[in-house]
Amino acid sequence: MCVVPAALLAACSLGDDDGGESGPTTDAATTSEAASDDGSTDGTSSSVADDPSTSGAESGTDAPSVARSGPISFASQIEPIIERSCANCHTGSGPGTQHVRLDNASLVSLSAPGLAPVIETGFMPPWPAGGDSPEYQHDWSLTTDEIATLLAWTDAGGPLDVPDDHVIEPPPDGGVRLDDPDLDVLSRGSYDGTAGQPDEYRCFVYDMGLDEGGYITAMDFRPQREQVVHHAVGFLVDAADVADFDEVDGADGQGGWTCFGFSPSPSAELVYAWAPGQAANRYPGGTGLRVEAGDVFVIQTHYHFDVEAPPDQSSFELDVVVDSDAEADDMIAIDVSTYLGPAEIPCTSDESGPLCDRNAAVADAVSKYGEAGFFANGILAICGQSPDDYADMTDGIASSTCDQRVNGIGSIIGIFGHQHELGSSFRMTLNPDTPEERVLLDIPRWDFDWQLIYE
């Protein structure tokens, strides 16, 4: 199992050039930024909107207040909540439609008995970011008044003051999926696993087919077999390195090749991450990820075969502004940085077994993933730590932190944190332990099923 507290940070580059896992594991964070002030970060990978002018409105700012007397109006009080916080996932082709469909008023009303318990317990809508985080765009969380309004409406039986076929529509921007992507790229080949086999980390090439450079402005990984696709990370690879994959791609009779780690080729840059619950990743207007003609994406897909499934050939949807487009002249390039933190978890004092010896665990990991797939020691070195710093954490709870220098200048526009399934909480801060400290992402109760890119 790969436990990596990681943060992925995406940022717009504003430098002169632009004008503008069994065994010791790791935690990673990836960030997209439009270059930030020089400082250090504490935590794992993430992407966040650091500029108040671009971040979302405070949760519930336009929320309808709970009815004080008389019947609750579906049109003026319930529908605005459903459209803002539920419709993205539960209408059209949203990922939540396999569980509950809310495409029209009648379906919302029929779902009223089931809505109450998931709303009251906070299970829905999912929004793991805690109160110490900055304000983000597309905040799905509900205010106290909104919860009270919804519960009162469900208690009343879900009455309607609109026609049954009244359409429920998500907000016009920031939908969960890319409805009309410029490119819809299939992986080279498919992979067919068997229920019960060991976890498979499979790299696939995704050819964009671009004959000129440009900027990727939005990305959306679409797993074909969600029941076995566990998570995925995407690397942008220079055209010059594509030939390096010819010998391994499909060599075992299936699409792609077994891979592990963060470097499928010398030029590979980790620029994207997908996990359950993740929506399409859109960059702010006028910004994008720079690509050149012939560049490809390599997406490392983690398969977990606890069920039998047909072969998987996932797709990668992209919006792109090419250099011949007039708007390309004013585009600002996005930089993506990944910050890794240790995930050393020794056995508890009452556990025993061969892998409780760290050296044996390291040897086991290397035998499975190769030297390139084992990077726990390297992360400890980056963080100025050693296994001894964690050796006494034998009560079943291990915690780690790592301060690293920010490697870009600009404005942070998005943060994504990842720590697989064993994490319990997650925090990334800018300029930790200084008067300028600022929390970039705080998740007090980590949930692997809801890993979001916070914009």
Side-chain angles (χ1 to χ4, degrees), residues 131 165 235 248 291 305 324 336 339 392 409:
D165 60 356
F235 302 87
V248 293
V291 294
F305 295 101
S324 57
V336 180
Y339 302 92
D392 294 333
I409 303 299

Side-chain angles (χ1 to χ4, degrees), residues 185-188 201-208 219 221 232-239 241-246 248-249 256-274 289 291 294-302 316 318:
V185 186
L186 278 175
S187 62
R188 285 188 191 171
Y201 293 82
R202 198 83 178 174
C203 278
F204 295 94
V205 175
Y206 287 75
D207 292 296
M208 292 180 285
M219 298 179 281
F221 179 70
V233 291
F235 302 87
L236 183 61
V237 176
D238 291 352
D241 288 346
V242 175
D244 295 346
F245 307 135
D246 290 344
V248 293
D249 192 5
W257 66 97
T258 297
C259 64
F260 194 81
F262 284 115
S263 55
S265 74
S267 66
E269 292 185 89
L270 197 163
V271 296
Y272 180 78
W274 176 91
L289 187 70
V291 294
D295 288 356
V296 302
F297 280 96
V298 172
I299 296 184
Q300 181 196 76
T301 306
H302 174 192
F316 196 39
L318 305 162

Side-chain angles (χ1 to χ4, degrees), residues 47-59 61 127 133-139 173 284 411-414 438 440 454-455:
S47 328
V48 303
D50 197 73
D51 183 349
S53 66
T54 60
S55 61
E58 183 176 357
S59 174
T61 298
W127 189 256
S133 299
E135 295 174 10
Y136 299 117
Q137 296 184 54
H138 317 303
D139 185 344
D173 61 337
S411 299
I412 301 172
I413 61 171
R438 180 171 186 178
L440 299 182
Y454 295 91
E455 300 175 331

Side-chain angles (χ1 to χ4, degrees), residues 4 15 46 77 80 102 108 111 124-125 141 167 169 203 213 283 286 293 302 312 337 347 354 377 414:
V4 182
S46 48
Q77 294 175 276
L102 303 175
V108 179
S111 300
M124 286 285 154
S141 60
V167 176
E169 296 181 324
C203 278
Y283 293 128
H302 174 192
D312 172 72
S337 301
C347 289
N377 288 343

Side-chain angles (χ1 to χ4, degrees), residues 14 261 272 295 393-394:
L14 301 178
Y272 180 78
D295 288 356
M393 298 182 185
T394 57

Side-chain angles (χ1 to χ4, degrees), residues 99-421:
H99 306 294
V100 176
R101 297 201 70 96
L102 303 175
D103 295 272
N104 58 47
S106 176
L107 290 174
V108 179
S109 179
L110 290 170
S111 300
L115 293 179
V118 298
I119 291 170
E120 193 167 22
T121 60
F123 183 72
M124 286 285 154
W127 189 256
D132 288 343
S133 299
E135 295 174 10
Y136 299 117
Q137 296 184 54
H138 317 303
D139 185 344
W140 300 332
S141 60
L142 301 176
T143 66
T144 301
D145 274 359
E146 287 176 322
I147 293 172
T149 300
L150 287 166
L151 292 179
W153 178 75
T154 60
D155 286 345
L160 299 176
D161 53 6
V162 298
D164 286 355
D165 60 356
H166 178 75
V167 176
I168 303 298
E169 296 181 324
D173 61 337
V176 170
R177 301 274 74 91
L178 298 183
D179 293 329
D180 187 23
D182 297 327
L183 300 174
D184 188 354
V185 186
L186 278 175
S187 62
R188 285 188 191 171
S190 62
Y191 184 74
D192 188 10
T194 304
Q197 78 174 67
D199 285 37
E200 170 71 2
Y201 293 82
R202 198 83 178 174
C203 278
F204 295 94
V205 175
Y206 287 75
D207 292 296
M208 292 180 285
L210 295 177
D211 54 12
E212 61 176 319
Y215 298 85
I216 302 297
T217 60
M219 298 179 281
D220 191 14
F221 179 70
R222 303 294 298 272
Q224 185 182 26
R225 310 298 178 193
E226 292 188 359
Q227 63 268 47
V228 294
V229 176
H230 193 263
H231 71 274
V233 291
F235 302 87
L236 183 61
V237 176
D238 291 352
D241 288 346
V242 175
D244 295 346
F245 307 135
D246 290 344
E247 289 189 10
V248 293
D249 192 5
D252 60 0
Q254 300 221 51
W257 66 97
T258 297
C259 64
F260 194 81
F262 284 115
S263 55
S265 74
S267 66
E269 292 185 89
L270 197 163
V271 296
Y272 180 78
W274 176 91
Q278 177 58 54
N281 184 199
R282 295 173 174 86
Y283 293 128
T287 70
L289 187 70
R290 180 67 193 177
V291 294
E292 304 297 339
D295 288 356
V296 302
F297 280 96
V298 172
I299 296 184
Q300 181 196 76
T301 306
H302 174 192
Y303 293 101
H304 183 70
F305 295 101
D306 52 357
V307 297
E308 195 72 46
D312 172 72
Q313 188 175 20
S314 296
S315 61
F316 196 39
E317 297 180 347
L318 305 162
D319 283 343
V320 59
V321 173
V322 295
D323 287 342
S324 57
D325 294 338
E327 60 188 297
D329 294 340
D330 298 321
M331 294 289 290
I332 297 175
I334 295 289
D335 289 332
V336 180
S337 301
T338 301
Y339 302 92
L340 305 179
E344 298 279 331
I345 307 176
C347 289
T348 63
S349 54
D350 59 354
E351 288 178 320
S352 62
L355 296 185
C356 286
D357 177 82
R358 188 181 188 276
N359 291 330
V362 169
D364 180 71
V366 171
S367 70
K368 291 179 178 178
Y369 309 121
E371 292 287 351
F374 176 78
F375 34 89
N377 288 343
I379 292 171
L380 287 174
I382 291 172
C383 299
Q385 301 172 8
S386 74
D388 291 341
D389 294 317
Y390 301 88
D392 294 333
M393 298 182 185
T394 57
D395 62 352
I397 299 174
S399 61
S400 68
T401 186
C402 180
D403 292 355
Q404 300 178 40
R405 300 294 296 179
V406 171
N407 52 11
I409 303 299
S411 299
I412 301 172
I413 61 171
I415 294 184
F416 173 87
H418 173 71
Q419 53 181 359
H420 216 79
E421 295 182 309

